[in-house]
Amino acid sequence: MTADELVAFAEELARVAAAGGGCKALADALARRGAVGVLVEDADWRHLAASGSRLPSSARPLLHESGAAGYTPLANAHAGRTMAIVTGEKRLGQISIFGEGDLDRLEHLVRLTAGAIAVELAREQGGQPGRRRAFWERLATQAYVDASAARDDAASRGITLASHYLAVALEPETSDERTAAADQSALRDAALQTFRSGEGDAGLWERGATLFFFVPAAREVEAANARTASGLLARSLTKKHPHLRVGGGVGSRVPFIDLPTSLAQARDALTISRRLYGCGRIGVHDELGAYPLLLSGADAPALRGFSARTLAPLRAYDDKHQTELERTLRLYFEVGENVKTAAERLSVHRHTVFYRLRQISEICACKLDDPHDQLTLRMAIAIDALTN
């Protein structure tokens, strides 16, 4: 194998590692380039990755000696080669290849792959908990090339993924630096208990004082339960620790590969709820109306989508019951919230306008005398008028 071919393969491994493919993708690269089967195991002979068919369940019984370090043939005349994956003096695992022909010519490819996998495994030191934490960090930072790569890597780390997740961002809010570490630990332990689920593993990613919890939500009802649980968690912690207040934000329910979107929403909801309502509040992104758009500087499609979502419940009700709730709301704002004038313009009794306004509040789950809810409705109507 020429020097140029080795350099090209090393560059391919670097691209795979940079894209977050993990052990599985690195093994796939070696299998393609060498036309062999590849088996990667950790230091305790647990399966990490496999590429190819008809591979043994483990290479351990085929070694001349356990944990063979050099590039050596397999025992029992088995067609293959194996070598240890090491960093310094520490053995991290074993990589083995299986195939026909001259396998010695692939030694340099195997060594390069073993080195790349060693870097991956060294970054995940700390045992199985460390490997699991590394997965959630990769998923949160969009390190995987696609859902399949993320799913394969999760399986290799013993993680069961749900089809959908939502992110919850929580921060302990205390002015006493002496209790900060204990407060964060109490919040972490309570949240891990709260967000346990039987359908998929929950995840945790810590960024400074913020704890991001990734909550399995295969169905919408599970997402609703997680939103409710977030608020209850904050209140229960304050009862147990009167000095501790918890601020937070909850993102939308998304497919697991889109978890970074929900994470960003949770972070925005935390920021918005703290700035608008002060400390100790849990903001739900889907319930914050226009504020996420104002914070992010939304583009035209996002504004139109927000308007359509906000007005959709009123329009659906009007279509089904042949009412004029949307028109009443528009006119109510247009005449400066003057019920008498609105009734005259609509040619109805003012009690009818009061009744319709109560209906609007119930259908939109808002309060028309709340300035934040009013901003959301007024913006939706204004955007709709401008874009339609």
Side-chain angles (χ1 to χ4, degrees):
M1 185 161 289
T2 68
D4 287 342
E5 289 173 328
L6 289 174
V7 169
F9 183 63
E11 291 173 343
E12 181 181 356
L13 294 178
R15 287 193 297 271
V16 169
C23 294
K24 178 65 166 66
L26 293 169
D28 288 342
L30 174 60
R32 287 194 304 271
R33 185 60 64 97
V36 291
V38 179
L39 178 64
V40 181
E41 299 169 274
D42 68 10
D44 296 316
W45 301 99
R46 290 188 295 255
H47 177 278
L48 290 179
S51 186
S53 59
R54 298 182 180 179
L55 299 176
S57 58
S58 174
R60 186 176 188 179
L62 307 176
L63 268 61
H64 288 287
E65 56 181 280
S66 180
Y71 186 75
T72 59
L74 295 173
N76 302 325
H78 204 94
R81 298 290 186 274
T82 187
M83 70 177 299
I85 301 171
V86 298
T87 176
E89 299 297 321
K90 185 174 183 180
R91 176 177 172 273
L92 302 178
Q94 196 80 14
I95 183 170
S96 306
I97 63 171
F98 303 86
E100 303 296 335
D102 182 12
L103 297 182
D104 289 334
R105 65 184 177 82
L106 302 178
E107 178 178 354
H108 295 303
L109 298 184
V110 176
R111 289 186 178 278
L112 287 171
T113 307
I117 292 175
V119 173
E120 293 289 314
L121 298 180
R123 289 170 58 189
E124 301 167 7
Q125 287 299 306
Q128 188 69 357
R131 298 185 68 239
R132 293 168 71 93
R133 285 194 298 270
F135 168 79
W136 294 110
E137 180 176 356
R138 284 174 171 274
L139 190 60
T141 55
Q142 297 179 296
Y144 293 104
V145 293
D146 54 31
S148 179
R151 193 179 292 108
D152 288 344
D153 195 31
S156 74
R157 299 167 192 260
I159 296 172
T160 301
L161 283 177
S163 61
H164 290 70
Y165 279 82
L166 82 164
V168 179
L170 298 174
E171 279 189 10
E173 297 175 339
T174 176
S175 57
D176 191 345
E177 294 184 358
R178 294 171 298 177
T179 65
D183 291 340
Q184 188 157 17
S185 178
L187 174 57
R188 183 192 302 108
D189 293 343
L192 287 173
Q193 290 292 327
T194 298
F195 297 130
R196 280 183 173 178
S197 172
E199 297 187 25
D201 291 331
L204 168 63
W205 186 42
E206 300 188 32
R207 300 293 289 171
T210 308
L211 304 176
F212 291 99
F213 296 90
F214 307 133
V215 185
R219 297 179 295 274
E220 178 54 38
V221 65
E222 293 167 334
N225 291 340
R227 297 183 193 106
T228 302
S230 299
L232 294 175
L233 170 66
R235 289 193 289 272
S236 65
L237 274 174
T238 300
K239 288 181 180 179
K240 292 180 181 178
H241 309 277
H243 71 282
L244 173 62
R245 304 181 73 184
V246 177
V250 183
S252 300
R253 172 178 173 267
V254 296
F256 77 85
I257 195 61
D258 295 327
L259 192 55
T261 298
S262 185
L263 187 151
Q265 292 174 343
R267 186 170 52 230
D268 288 350
L270 168 62
T271 300
I272 293 167
S273 62
R274 179 175 293 158
R275 292 179 181 177
L276 292 182
Y277 307 112
C279 295
R281 295 287 296 268
I282 304 295
V284 178
H285 183 273
D286 294 345
E287 299 173 3
L288 287 172
Y291 288 101
L293 297 174
L294 297 175
L295 181 69
S296 64
D299 56 14
L303 291 172
R304 287 195 295 270
F306 156 76
S307 176
R309 288 192 304 273
T310 303
L311 298 177
L314 288 182
R315 290 172 174 170
Y317 189 92
D318 283 343
D319 288 343
K320 182 176 181 180
H321 300 281
Q322 300 301 302
T323 51
E324 292 187 319
L325 297 185
E326 183 183 353
R327 182 185 173 212
T328 299
L329 180 63
R330 290 176 183 270
L331 191 56
Y332 175 68
F333 286 148
E334 184 180 320
V335 300
E337 303 174 42
N338 188 310
V339 172
K340 180 181 178 182
T341 303
E344 291 173 353
R345 295 275 294 274
L346 291 165
S347 300
V348 298
H349 194 277
R350 61 190 182 89
H351 288 169
T352 301
V353 175
F354 279 123
Y355 176 70
R356 290 180 180 178
L357 294 177
R358 287 196 298 272
Q359 283 185 296
I360 292 168
S361 294
E362 293 173 1
I363 293 169
C364 295
C366 67
K367 298 178 180 178
L368 291 179
D369 59 353
D370 181 276
H372 303 301
D373 288 345
Q374 267 213 18
L375 174 63
T376 294
L377 292 171
R378 287 179 178 274
M379 274 191 63
I381 290 171
I383 293 167
D384 183 69
L386 290 171
T387 57
N388 294 317

